[in-house]
Amino acid sequence: MSITAAYDAQPSKTVDVGAYGVQDNVQHGDFVTENEERDLRRGLAQRHIQMIALAGAIGTGLFIGLGSSLQTGGPLGALLGYAFVGLIVCAVQFALGEVTALLPVTGSFVRHAEFLVDPALGFAVGWNIVYGNWLSIPAEISAICVLFQYWTDINSSLFIVIFIILTFVVGIAFVGIYGEVEFFFALLKILLVVGLIILGLCIDLGGVPGTPRIGFRYWSKPGPWVEHIATGSWGNFLGFWSVMINAVFSFAGVESIAMAAAETRNPRQNIPKACKRVFARVSLFYILTVLIVGMLVSSDDERLQDESGTAAQSPFVIAASAAGIKAIPSIVNAVVITSAWSSSNQALLAGTRVLYSLALKKQAPAIFLRTTSWGVPYMCVLLQTAFMFLAFMSLSSGALTVFYWMVDLVGCGVLISWSCVLVNHLRLLAAMKKQGIARTELPWHNKWTPYSSAIGLAACLLILLTNGFSVFTHGGWSASSFVSSYLDIPLILIAYLGWKYAKGTKFVALEDIPIRAALDEIRDNPETPEPMRKGWKGVVMKMLWE
């Protein structure tokens, strides 16, 4: 029996606190609903979840965007910036893992916000994610067209059509096929990152014939820091802060790991495990890569200013070209194309599952609850596919400007999503304390998360409010930069206050959040333990994704 049915069968345990109080929350799908159990299919295994998170976090920001961070903050500023954001990601991942283990629902932290905070917050954050993904897919497809221009002058409209079709096919197929596609591309990315790190060490240590040893030469001259906007120590700090803002967007995607929780096998076991391990792996890849890049390329190298958007902009390509290795640019360009397409696939999954979850809560039309016989919300996929055709705006310079203004509207959405994850977790902890429920009763928990979530939330809000600081400096004003940095904040507030006013929603009282009902559901319906793999295959699989 589903937890909704179990809870409805015990009316003495519900407390009606208004139009959108606890009782209404339970009846309209804060737990795994009958719709999810009946219409969706659990096609994602643990290895898929692990690799989907890696695929989302390792993308163009790592392969191409590091050059900008190195140029802005210097090798030490870039390293510290990515390390600091890595700690924030750790806080977000652990908070997400603890709440998802209790409530493994489609829509992840969007539904958690309704259950733990206020239905209006779930509405605002949910639609922010939906329209953000509507715009991010055509943006990724436009980027793919630019990347292909590195090799050919074929009309970009051909590549737009091809990748719209490919993305739609993956999105409408059984979710297990999506998992396999992302698994394959994630392996490609990981192999490329490992290969580039090894290649970078060989170049740096003089292991390539005809190339002198570099060592930490560029840390001495031009130096570990770069002055940004100001001079002296303040300029060095602003350089570091700009790197940290870039790093946030490089790590974007890790919060999507639980969006398809209701389509994941044993989600209470596999999603927390993925949250814990993905953080370590992603942080390791990024920090090692930033360190190697800072050793290979000088922060004042003019080639870092290349604005082509292709592999020519990658610091790894710059270093490999200087060492006379000709194949690296095309290899990097090819993998960056797969990264961009992988990002569009992940945006399609996240956007459609959040839209489906909003429809479950009657915050979107019920038509979006329709699913195929293999468990895919096809009306959500069709709507998002329609927005992919915005990629054709990239064929016109004037339309492209308008298009990127639209993309800029959701520029800080990742910080809002991370903040929502952390607020949800803090509310869960406060509710458990209020109700006298020990944290050890959670299916997965860590002793330091009460502190890491609070610190992580403060850091996210600080970065959110200061991420556009350069537009307020002398001569630094840019309307597009201001829009990308701040316009999403009033959009979220308008959506939140508008839904709250229209539906009369209230903050869910801590004592009324039915945590005990969720714990009883876990006790009464335990997941089947994951089988233990033995032998050398078990060792390899444990190293990779267990």
PDB file of all heavy atoms in Angstrom, residues 446-468:
ATOM      1  N   ASN A 446      24.258  11.938   8.248  1.00  0.00           N
ATOM      2  CA  ASN A 446      25.648  12.197   8.640  1.00  0.00           C
ATOM      3  C   ASN A 446      25.653  13.224   9.755  1.00  0.00           C
ATOM      4  O   ASN A 446      24.828  14.144   9.768  1.00  0.00           O
ATOM      5  CB  ASN A 446      26.453  12.727   7.443  1.00  0.00           C
ATOM      6  CG  ASN A 446      26.713  11.658   6.406  1.00  0.00           C
ATOM      7  OD1 ASN A 446      27.621  10.861   6.530  1.00  0.00           O
ATOM      8  ND2 ASN A 446      25.884  11.629   5.371  1.00  0.00           N
ATOM      9  N   LYS A 447      26.577  13.092  10.664  1.00  0.00           N
ATOM     10  CA  LYS A 447      26.564  13.914  11.861  1.00  0.00           C
ATOM     11  C   LYS A 447      26.904  15.381  11.610  1.00  0.00           C
ATOM     12  O   LYS A 447      26.530  16.258  12.386  1.00  0.00           O
ATOM     13  CB  LYS A 447      27.517  13.341  12.911  1.00  0.00           C
ATOM     14  CG  LYS A 447      28.971  13.257  12.465  1.00  0.00           C
ATOM     15  CD  LYS A 447      29.832  12.597  13.541  1.00  0.00           C
ATOM     16  CE  LYS A 447      31.288  12.474  13.113  1.00  0.00           C
ATOM     17  NZ  LYS A 447      32.104  11.816  14.157  1.00  0.00           N
ATOM     18  N   TRP A 448      27.619  15.667  10.518  1.00  0.00           N
ATOM     19  CA  TRP A 448      28.044  17.061  10.285  1.00  0.00           C
ATOM     20  C   TRP A 448      27.072  17.857   9.407  1.00  0.00           C
ATOM     21  O   TRP A 448      27.234  19.053   9.225  1.00  0.00           O
ATOM     22  CB  TRP A 448      29.424  17.080   9.619  1.00  0.00           C
ATOM     23  CG  TRP A 448      29.476  16.360   8.309  1.00  0.00           C
ATOM     24  CD1 TRP A 448      29.073  16.821   7.102  1.00  0.00           C
ATOM     25  CD2 TRP A 448      29.931  15.023   8.093  1.00  0.00           C
ATOM     26  NE1 TRP A 448      29.252  15.869   6.130  1.00  0.00           N
ATOM     27  CE2 TRP A 448      29.782  14.756   6.709  1.00  0.00           C
ATOM     28  CE3 TRP A 448      30.464  14.029   8.908  1.00  0.00           C
ATOM     29  CZ2 TRP A 448      30.133  13.537   6.143  1.00  0.00           C
ATOM     30  CZ3 TRP A 448      30.812  12.817   8.345  1.00  0.00           C
ATOM     31  CH2 TRP A 448      30.647  12.578   6.989  1.00  0.00           C
ATOM     32  N   THR A 449      26.050  17.216   8.845  1.00  0.00           N
ATOM     33  CA  THR A 449      25.185  17.930   7.902  1.00  0.00           C
ATOM     34  C   THR A 449      24.393  19.098   8.504  1.00  0.00           C
ATOM     35  O   THR A 449      24.096  20.051   7.777  1.00  0.00           O
ATOM     36  CB  THR A 449      24.225  16.957   7.196  1.00  0.00           C
ATOM     37  OG1 THR A 449      23.572  16.136   8.164  1.00  0.00           O
ATOM     38  CG2 THR A 449      24.975  16.083   6.216  1.00  0.00           C
ATOM     39  N   PRO A 450      24.012  19.078   9.800  1.00  0.00           N
ATOM     40  CA  PRO A 450      23.336  20.278  10.323  1.00  0.00           C
ATOM     41  C   PRO A 450      24.187  21.535  10.192  1.00  0.00           C
ATOM     42  O   PRO A 450      23.677  22.628   9.957  1.00  0.00           O
ATOM     43  CB  PRO A 450      23.082  19.921  11.794  1.00  0.00           C
ATOM     44  CG  PRO A 450      23.034  18.431  11.812  1.00  0.00           C
ATOM     45  CD  PRO A 450      24.035  17.985  10.789  1.00  0.00           C
ATOM     46  N   TYR A 451      25.494  21.368  10.329  1.00  0.00           N
ATOM     47  CA  TYR A 451      26.404  22.508  10.227  1.00  0.00           C
ATOM     48  C   TYR A 451      26.731  22.831   8.765  1.00  0.00           C
ATOM     49  O   TYR A 451      26.745  24.003   8.364  1.00  0.00           O
ATOM     50  CB  TYR A 451      27.698  22.210  10.990  1.00  0.00           C
ATOM     51  CG  TYR A 451      27.448  21.669  12.368  1.00  0.00           C
ATOM     52  CD1 TYR A 451      27.598  20.302  12.647  1.00  0.00           C
ATOM     53  CD2 TYR A 451      27.035  22.500  13.408  1.00  0.00           C
ATOM     54  CE1 TYR A 451      27.354  19.792  13.910  1.00  0.00           C
ATOM     55  CE2 TYR A 451      26.787  21.998  14.684  1.00  0.00           C
ATOM     56  CZ  TYR A 451      26.949  20.645  14.921  1.00  0.00           C
ATOM     57  OH  TYR A 451      26.695  20.140  16.184  1.00  0.00           O
ATOM     58  N   SER A 452      26.982  21.789   7.970  1.00  0.00           N
ATOM     59  CA  SER A 452      27.357  22.033   6.581  1.00  0.00           C
ATOM     60  C   SER A 452      26.208  22.651   5.786  1.00  0.00           C
ATOM     61  O   SER A 452      26.432  23.500   4.916  1.00  0.00           O
ATOM     62  CB  SER A 452      27.808  20.726   5.911  1.00  0.00           C
ATOM     63  OG  SER A 452      26.758  19.780   5.862  1.00  0.00           O
ATOM     64  N   SER A 453      24.957  22.261   6.088  1.00  0.00           N
ATOM     65  CA  SER A 453      23.823  22.838   5.365  1.00  0.00           C
ATOM     66  C   SER A 453      23.652  24.316   5.686  1.00  0.00           C
ATOM     67  O   SER A 453      23.366  25.124   4.798  1.00  0.00           O
ATOM     68  CB  SER A 453      22.534  22.079   5.698  1.00  0.00           C
ATOM     69  OG  SER A 453      22.541  20.791   5.130  1.00  0.00           O
ATOM     70  N   ALA A 454      23.813  24.681   6.958  1.00  0.00           N
ATOM     71  CA  ALA A 454      23.675  26.087   7.347  1.00  0.00           C
ATOM     72  C   ALA A 454      24.776  26.941   6.709  1.00  0.00           C
ATOM     73  O   ALA A 454      24.509  28.022   6.153  1.00  0.00           O
ATOM     74  CB  ALA A 454      23.721  26.212   8.866  1.00  0.00           C
ATOM     75  N   ILE A 455      26.009  26.445   6.762  1.00  0.00           N
ATOM     76  CA  ILE A 455      27.131  27.197   6.167  1.00  0.00           C
ATOM     77  C   ILE A 455      26.979  27.252   4.647  1.00  0.00           C
ATOM     78  O   ILE A 455      27.206  28.289   4.020  1.00  0.00           O
ATOM     79  CB  ILE A 455      28.467  26.551   6.563  1.00  0.00           C
ATOM     80  CG1 ILE A 455      28.676  26.654   8.081  1.00  0.00           C
ATOM     81  CG2 ILE A 455      29.625  27.212   5.827  1.00  0.00           C
ATOM     82  CD1 ILE A 455      29.851  25.859   8.601  1.00  0.00           C
ATOM     83  N   GLY A 456      26.584  26.127   4.049  1.00  0.00           N
ATOM     84  CA  GLY A 456      26.404  26.088   2.596  1.00  0.00           C
ATOM     85  C   GLY A 456      25.315  27.032   2.128  1.00  0.00           C
ATOM     86  O   GLY A 456      25.459  27.698   1.099  1.00  0.00           O
ATOM     87  N   LEU A 457      24.215  27.124   2.888  1.00  0.00           N
ATOM     88  CA  LEU A 457      23.130  28.036   2.524  1.00  0.00           C
ATOM     89  C   LEU A 457      23.600  29.481   2.587  1.00  0.00           C
ATOM     90  O   LEU A 457      23.308  30.283   1.679  1.00  0.00           O
ATOM     91  CB  LEU A 457      21.935  27.824   3.451  1.00  0.00           C
ATOM     92  CG  LEU A 457      20.737  28.754   3.222  1.00  0.00           C
ATOM     93  CD1 LEU A 457      20.179  28.598   1.814  1.00  0.00           C
ATOM     94  CD2 LEU A 457      19.648  28.485   4.256  1.00  0.00           C
ATOM     95  N   ALA A 458      24.336  29.829   3.645  1.00  0.00           N
ATOM     96  CA  ALA A 458      24.857  31.197   3.764  1.00  0.00           C
ATOM     97  C   ALA A 458      25.775  31.526   2.586  1.00  0.00           C
ATOM     98  O   ALA A 458      25.701  32.620   2.011  1.00  0.00           O
ATOM     99  CB  ALA A 458      25.597  31.351   5.089  1.00  0.00           C
ATOM    100  N   ALA A 459      26.620  30.556   2.191  1.00  0.00           N
ATOM    101  CA  ALA A 459      27.546  30.776   1.077  1.00  0.00           C
ATOM    102  C   ALA A 459      26.784  30.935  -0.239  1.00  0.00           C
ATOM    103  O   ALA A 459      27.103  31.810  -1.057  1.00  0.00           O
ATOM    104  CB  ALA A 459      28.535  29.617   0.982  1.00  0.00           C
ATOM    105  N   CYS A 460      25.751  30.098  -0.463  1.00  0.00           N
ATOM    106  CA  CYS A 460      24.960  30.197  -1.696  1.00  0.00           C
ATOM    107  C   CYS A 460      24.275  31.551  -1.814  1.00  0.00           C
ATOM    108  O   CYS A 460      24.274  32.175  -2.884  1.00  0.00           O
ATOM    109  CB  CYS A 460      23.919  29.077  -1.738  1.00  0.00           C
ATOM    110  SG  CYS A 460      24.561  27.461  -2.177  1.00  0.00           S
ATOM    111  N   LEU A 461      23.681  32.005  -0.719  1.00  0.00           N
ATOM    112  CA  LEU A 461      22.980  33.291  -0.748  1.00  0.00           C
ATOM    113  C   LEU A 461      23.955  34.439  -0.970  1.00  0.00           C
ATOM    114  O   LEU A 461      23.644  35.409  -1.682  1.00  0.00           O
ATOM    115  CB  LEU A 461      22.194  33.483   0.553  1.00  0.00           C
ATOM    116  CG  LEU A 461      21.033  32.504   0.773  1.00  0.00           C
ATOM    117  CD1 LEU A 461      20.382  32.747   2.126  1.00  0.00           C
ATOM    118  CD2 LEU A 461      19.996  32.628  -0.351  1.00  0.00           C
ATOM    119  N   LEU A 462      25.135  34.343  -0.357  1.00  0.00           N
ATOM    120  CA  LEU A 462      26.135  35.390  -0.543  1.00  0.00           C
ATOM    121  C   LEU A 462      26.582  35.455  -2.000  1.00  0.00           C
ATOM    122  O   LEU A 462      26.672  36.555  -2.584  1.00  0.00           O
ATOM    123  CB  LEU A 462      27.333  35.124   0.370  1.00  0.00           C
ATOM    124  CG  LEU A 462      28.474  36.144   0.306  1.00  0.00           C
ATOM    125  CD1 LEU A 462      27.975  37.531   0.707  1.00  0.00           C
ATOM    126  CD2 LEU A 462      29.641  35.714   1.196  1.00  0.00           C
ATOM    127  N   ILE A 463      26.857  34.302  -2.597  1.00  0.00           N
ATOM    128  CA  ILE A 463      27.269  34.288  -4.005  1.00  0.00           C
ATOM    129  C   ILE A 463      26.122  34.760  -4.901  1.00  0.00           C
ATOM    130  O   ILE A 463      26.336  35.489  -5.877  1.00  0.00           O
ATOM    131  CB  ILE A 463      27.730  32.873  -4.412  1.00  0.00           C
ATOM    132  CG1 ILE A 463      28.953  32.456  -3.596  1.00  0.00           C
ATOM    133  CG2 ILE A 463      28.072  32.832  -5.892  1.00  0.00           C
ATOM    134  CD1 ILE A 463      29.368  31.012  -3.800  1.00  0.00           C
ATOM    135  N   LEU A 464      24.898  34.355  -4.567  1.00  0.00           N
ATOM    136  CA  LEU A 464      23.731  34.770  -5.353  1.00  0.00           C
ATOM    137  C   LEU A 464      23.597  36.286  -5.391  1.00  0.00           C
ATOM    138  O   LEU A 464      23.314  36.880  -6.441  1.00  0.00           O
ATOM    139  CB  LEU A 464      22.474  34.142  -4.759  1.00  0.00           C
ATOM    140  CG  LEU A 464      21.140  34.464  -5.442  1.00  0.00           C
ATOM    141  CD1 LEU A 464      21.119  33.936  -6.869  1.00  0.00           C
ATOM    142  CD2 LEU A 464      19.974  33.886  -4.646  1.00  0.00           C
ATOM    143  N   LEU A 465      23.831  36.928  -4.258  1.00  0.00           N
ATOM    144  CA  LEU A 465      23.656  38.378  -4.171  1.00  0.00           C
ATOM    145  C   LEU A 465      24.840  39.153  -4.739  1.00  0.00           C
ATOM    146  O   LEU A 465      24.702  40.331  -5.074  1.00  0.00           O
ATOM    147  CB  LEU A 465      23.419  38.785  -2.712  1.00  0.00           C
ATOM    148  CG  LEU A 465      22.109  38.265  -2.091  1.00  0.00           C
ATOM    149  CD1 LEU A 465      22.049  38.615  -0.608  1.00  0.00           C
ATOM    150  CD2 LEU A 465      20.904  38.834  -2.828  1.00  0.00           C
ATOM    151  N   THR A 466      26.002  38.509  -4.837  1.00  0.00           N
ATOM    152  CA  THR A 466      27.205  39.226  -5.277  1.00  0.00           C
ATOM    153  C   THR A 466      27.732  38.744  -6.625  1.00  0.00           C
ATOM    154  O   THR A 466      28.762  39.236  -7.083  1.00  0.00           O
ATOM    155  CB  THR A 466      28.331  39.088  -4.232  1.00  0.00           C
ATOM    156  OG1 THR A 466      28.683  37.697  -4.091  1.00  0.00           O
ATOM    157  CG2 THR A 466      27.910  39.639  -2.886  1.00  0.00           C
ATOM    158  N   ASN A 467      27.029  37.781  -7.267  1.00  0.00           N
ATOM    159  CA  ASN A 467      27.622  37.191  -8.473  1.00  0.00           C
ATOM    160  C   ASN A 467      27.727  38.185  -9.621  1.00  0.00           C
ATOM    161  O   ASN A 467      28.481  37.960 -10.561  1.00  0.00           O
ATOM    162  CB  ASN A 467      26.858  35.934  -8.890  1.00  0.00           C
ATOM    163  CG  ASN A 467      25.564  36.221  -9.606  1.00  0.00           C
ATOM    164  OD1 ASN A 467      25.530  36.294 -10.826  1.00  0.00           O
ATOM    165  ND2 ASN A 467      24.482  36.373  -8.855  1.00  0.00           N
ATOM    166  N   GLY A 468      26.996  39.290  -9.559  1.00  0.00           N
ATOM    167  CA  GLY A 468      27.112  40.303 -10.609  1.00  0.00           C
ATOM    168  C   GLY A 468      27.820  41.554 -10.135  1.00  0.00           C
ATOM    169  O   GLY A 468      27.574  42.647 -10.672  1.00  0.00           O
TER     170      GLY A 468
END
